[in-house]
């Protein structure tokens, strides 16, 4: 059985894009893989986080996984900072990865923007920590979205260079991207060409996992659409980014294909389609949101799940980390 590692950052509110693009797919992997799902709080602090908000977000993300149906007994849910091996291996990888490799990372260039001199060193080294996350457990498969593919490539390069430099050809597996046939790239409700994002200034652009039913209905009603009726097949959605996004969200929530949605609503306008979308959204998200609210109100139980997960993660990582240190030439503790 393959081993999955995936991470999600606890920064700001979790939204529909995080759920449909990541968490929901994780739930589906549980039968075919041994899974580690990690709240990557150490990645989060590569840009400043208010400490209390970081604590809250860490619990909220864990609550979302639990509420969505990730089984914390069969699999491991934990937060990164509770397993020191991530930081230890990241340092070793800082010494394996080349400046030139990191200089090519497009996400750093985007996030640092014009003020590269002012970005944290952590933001620059971020992909090395991500490689450490995965390889600390010798994970074989990593579910990633489009935006993380380059980082996963780098993790493979680091694994290969480590294996080669230290003459241990099969030590680290080269982790494979796990691409979902059904992964949904959820776009802003106000601009179908931009990803749904927690940092979008317009609150109407995203559905948060903590939004109540009335808010969800309102945001869908106010979502940008177009004046055409819905097409008969998904080909008719080309050049209509907002229509494509809203139908894509419907398809993901109702668990049907984009063509199915088109067949069902062909010829109708957005007035009636949005009503149907709001209904399915409230229907599908409601129970998850209720469970999330219950969990967030009971931080002690969420913390206990995370602590238990971290303990098992440390145990899984321990022999691998010991072998890595020995391979590098560190004396045994
Ligand atoms: N960098 C990922 C993101 O921002 C999160 C992440 C951290 C991750 N470590 C990982 C994803 C390991 C997959 C595997 O989305």
């Amino acid at each position: 059985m393959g081993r999955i590692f995936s991470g999600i950052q606890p920064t700001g509110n979790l939204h529909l894009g995080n759920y449909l693009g990541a968490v929901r797919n994780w739930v589906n992997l549980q039968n075919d893989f041994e899974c580690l799902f990690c709240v990557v709080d150490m990645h989060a602090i590569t840009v400043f986080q208010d400490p209390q908000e970081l604590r809250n977000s860490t619990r909220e993300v864990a609550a979302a996984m639990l509420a969505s149906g990730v089984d914390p007994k069969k699999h491991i849910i934990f937060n990164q900072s509770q397993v020191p091996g991530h930081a230890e291996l990241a340092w070793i990888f800082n010494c394996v990865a080349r400046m030139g490799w990191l200089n090519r990372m497009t996400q750093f260039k985007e996030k640092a923007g014009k003020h590269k001199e002012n970005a944290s060193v952590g933001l620059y080294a971020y992909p090395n920590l991500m490689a450490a996350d995965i390889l600390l457990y010798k994970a074989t498969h990593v579910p990633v979205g489009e935006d993380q593919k380059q980082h996963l490539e780098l993790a493979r390069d680091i694994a290969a260079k480590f294996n080669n430099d230290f003459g241990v050809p099969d030590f680290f597996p080269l982790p494979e991207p796990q691409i979902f046939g059904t992964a949904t790239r959820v776009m802003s409700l106000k601009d179908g060409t931009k990803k749904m994002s927690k940092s979008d200034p317009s609150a109407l652009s995203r559905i948060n996992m903590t939004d109540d039913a009335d808010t969800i209905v309102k945001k869908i009603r106010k979502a940008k659409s177009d004046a055409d009726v819905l097409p008969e097949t998904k080909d008719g959605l080309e050049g209509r980014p907002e229509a494509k996004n809203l139908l894509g969200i419907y398809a993901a929530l109702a668990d049907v294909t984009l063509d199915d949605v088109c067949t069902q609503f062909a010829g109708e306008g957005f007035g009636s389609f949005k009503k149907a979308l709001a209904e399915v959204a409230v229907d599908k998200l409601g129970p998850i949101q209720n469970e999330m609210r219950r969990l967030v109100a009971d931080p002690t139980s969420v913390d206990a799940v995370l602590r238990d997960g971290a303990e098992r993660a440390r145990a899984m990582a321990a022999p691998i980390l010991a072998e890595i240190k020995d391979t590098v030439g560190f004396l045994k503790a």
Side-chain angles (χ1 to χ4, degrees):
M1 197 190 261
R3 184 177 285 174
I4 289 261
F5 186 100
S6 198
I8 186 163
Q9 293 201 48
T11 47
N13 283 331
L14 210 71
H15 56 67
L16 186 65
N18 304 126
Y19 174 65
L20 291 179
V23 180
R24 193 181 74 136
N25 301 307
W26 296 0
V27 176
N28 297 327
L29 293 168
Q30 297 184 94
N31 291 328
D32 301 324
F33 294 91
E34 177 184 25
C35 303
L36 294 116
F37 297 126
C38 185
V39 188
V40 291
D41 46 8
M42 289 161 62
H43 277 104
I45 64 162
T46 55
V47 295
F48 182 80
Q49 303 295 323
D50 174 83
Q52 191 51 42
E53 278 173 24
L54 180 61
R55 269 185 284 273
N56 292 340
S57 292
T58 300
R59 291 181 179 125
E60 187 186 301
V61 172
M65 293 185 207
L66 295 169
S68 305
V70 175
D71 183 340
K73 293 270 179 289
K74 287 205 190 107
H75 301 279
I76 296 182
I77 296 183
F78 71 112
N79 62 303
Q80 195 182 24
S81 62
Q82 288 201 53
V83 181
H86 291 256
E88 293 180 76
L89 185 54
W91 178 259
I92 294 172
F93 286 170
N94 284 345
C95 304
V96 173
R98 307 289 90 184
M99 295 286 287
W101 298 1
L102 289 178
N103 286 340
R104 285 195 284 277
M105 295 296 113
T106 54
Q107 191 173 72
F108 176 76
K109 289 184 210 168
E110 270 162 36
K111 284 201 184 173
K114 290 192 201 80
H115 311 290
K116 218 168 70 174
E117 301 292 319
N118 218 2
S120 73
V121 175
L123 189 67
Y124 184 71
Y126 175 121
N128 295 345
L129 176 59
M130 180 163 156
D133 295 342
I134 299 163
L135 295 168
L136 182 60
Y137 306 96
K138 295 191 176 179
T140 54
H141 292 79
V142 180
V144 281
E146 209 43 58
D147 63 328
Q148 294 299 317
K149 270 196 195 150
Q150 196 185 30
H151 291 161
L152 186 59
E153 275 302 316
L154 187 94
R156 291 166 59 93
D157 290 343
I158 289 175
K161 183 163 164 58
F162 182 98
N163 291 351
N164 185 61
D165 286 355
F166 293 102
V168 285
D170 299 317
F171 186 73
F172 284 124
L174 304 189
E176 300 280 346
Q178 178 75 18
I179 312 284
F180 302 101
T182 56
T184 309
R185 203 169 139 81
V186 181
M187 311 305 277
S188 157
L189 297 181
K190 286 291 165 191
D191 177 351
T193 63
K194 279 199 323 209
K195 226 174 116 170
M196 184 175 283
S197 158
K198 58 172 187 288
S199 49
D200 192 312
S202 165
L204 289 176
S205 73
R206 67 186 155 263
I207 292 172
N208 290 320
M209 290 307 283
T210 44
D211 284 346
D212 59 21
D214 288 346
T215 310
I216 294 177
V217 172
K218 181 179 100 188
K219 285 179 177 175
I220 291 175
R221 187 160 25 85
K222 298 200 165 175
K224 189 171 172 198
S225 58
D226 59 38
D228 276 346
V229 296
L230 300 191
E232 271 158 32
T233 64
K234 69 170 191 278
D235 297 341
L237 293 168
E238 280 321 305
R240 299 174 66 185
E242 283 78 22
K244 192 171 179 182
N245 186 36
L246 294 177
L247 270 69
I249 293 173
Y250 186 102
L253 288 170
D255 232 330
V256 297
T257 69
L258 208 45
D259 272 327
D260 291 338
V261 187
C262 292
T263 310
Q264 194 182 340
F265 293 96
E268 290 190 37
F270 276 98
S272 59
F273 174 72
K274 279 181 171 179
K275 281 204 190 83
L277 176 58
E279 211 168 286
V280 75
V282 169
D283 220 53
K284 293 285 164 124
L285 299 178
I288 298 171
Q289 294 175 311
N290 289 340
E291 180 61 5
M292 268 180 79
R293 270 189 281 274
R294 189 188 71 76
L295 288 165
V296 168
D298 181 13
T300 323
S301 78
V302 175
D303 291 3
V305 170
L306 290 174
R307 236 179 275 119
D308 172 66
E311 194 177 317
R312 286 153 54 214
R314 285 194 298 268
M316 191 185 277
I320 300 173
L321 189 60
E323 205 178 336
I324 293 168
K325 288 179 173 175
D326 185 50
T327 300
V328 167
F330 293 166
L331 298 181
K332 288 209 169 69

